[in-house]
Amino acid sequence: MNVDSVLIADEDLESIAIVKEALLQNRIDAILCLGDTIYESHDGLDSLNVIAEKNVNVIISEIDMPNLPADNLIEFLIDNQIIDDAIILFLTKANNPKELTPLMKQYAVGLLSKPFSTKQLVASFTDLMMEQVQKAEITQRVNMKRDAECGLTFNILERLINKVSPARS
């Protein structure tokens, strides 16, 4: 799994600080080679600008962002053909957890209720990233098998064609 950058989107500055600290101080940035590529957004429309201008493929976002509900964020990612490369983790208030919509269930990899500790976030994020790595490895194996089978099929067809109409000397 190649992570180019992370967007942390939340109107609550304290939540952003906790998420950023969790990523930076718990070696997640070293594992993912993030460096300076952690972006922050405090407004939904600003999130869209960051996503459009930067190569963001991990999004940790509050569900109830000002000016941009979660479903609209996902629709933007779909419309701009970014959704297949995006890993989305939604944050929500613990005292008022929202039901995930069908769109969120389809595209988000997780939901973390506030307040959360750095330890909880690191555990959730690490688990989610491992799931994504495993999915990528499975996809790669399936593609390699398909490519091998296609190559074998092509070789068989080529031999059959040569038998039916051998090359003329």
Side-chain angles (χ1 to χ4, degrees), residues 15-32:
S15 290
I16 288 179
I18 291 169
V19 172
K20 194 169 186 176
E21 177 185 338
L23 294 175
L24 293 174
Q25 292 187 355
N26 289 281
R27 306 305 241 168
I28 292 175
D29 70 317
I31 295 166
L32 302 176

Side-chain angles (χ1 to χ4, degrees), residues 2 11-12 14 27 29 34 40 47 49 60 75 84 104 106 111 128 130 140 143 166:
N2 185 22
E11 72 275 14
D12 179 16
E14 186 176 337
R27 306 305 241 168
D29 70 317
L34 292 175
E40 298 177 19
S47 295
N49 289 332
I60 302 171
E75 288 168 358
D84 291 335
M104 286 185 233
Q106 183 176 354
L111 177 71
L128 294 170
M130 289 307 298
Q140 184 179 17
N143 288 340

Side-chain angles (χ1 to χ4, degrees), residues 63-124:
I63 285 179
D64 291 323
M65 282 296 284
N67 299 317
L68 188 73
D71 277 349
N72 292 96
L73 171 65
I74 293 172
E75 288 168 358
F76 173 83
L77 297 172
I78 292 169
D79 292 345
N80 289 280
Q81 300 176 345
I82 302 170
I83 195 72
D84 291 335
D85 296 326
I87 297 170
I88 306 165
L89 173 63
F90 282 118
L91 308 174
T92 188
K93 294 172 183 66
N95 60 358
N96 186 18
K98 256 191 165 174
E99 181 81 29
L100 289 175
T101 66
L103 202 56
M104 286 185 233
K105 287 179 185 175
Q106 183 176 354
Y107 292 106
V109 295
L111 177 71
L112 189 60
S113 294
K114 294 179 186 179
F116 50 82
S117 68
T118 300
K119 190 175 185 176
Q120 289 171 311
L121 177 67
V122 169
S124 290

Side-chain angles (χ1 to χ4, degrees), residues 1 130-146:
M1 173 94 246
M130 289 307 298
E131 285 177 28
Q132 295 302 311
V133 166
Q134 289 169 349
K135 285 179 187 176
E137 288 173 353
I138 290 169
T139 301
Q140 184 179 17
R141 278 191 232 130
V142 167
N143 288 340
M144 288 173 63
K145 184 177 179 186
R146 184 200 65 220

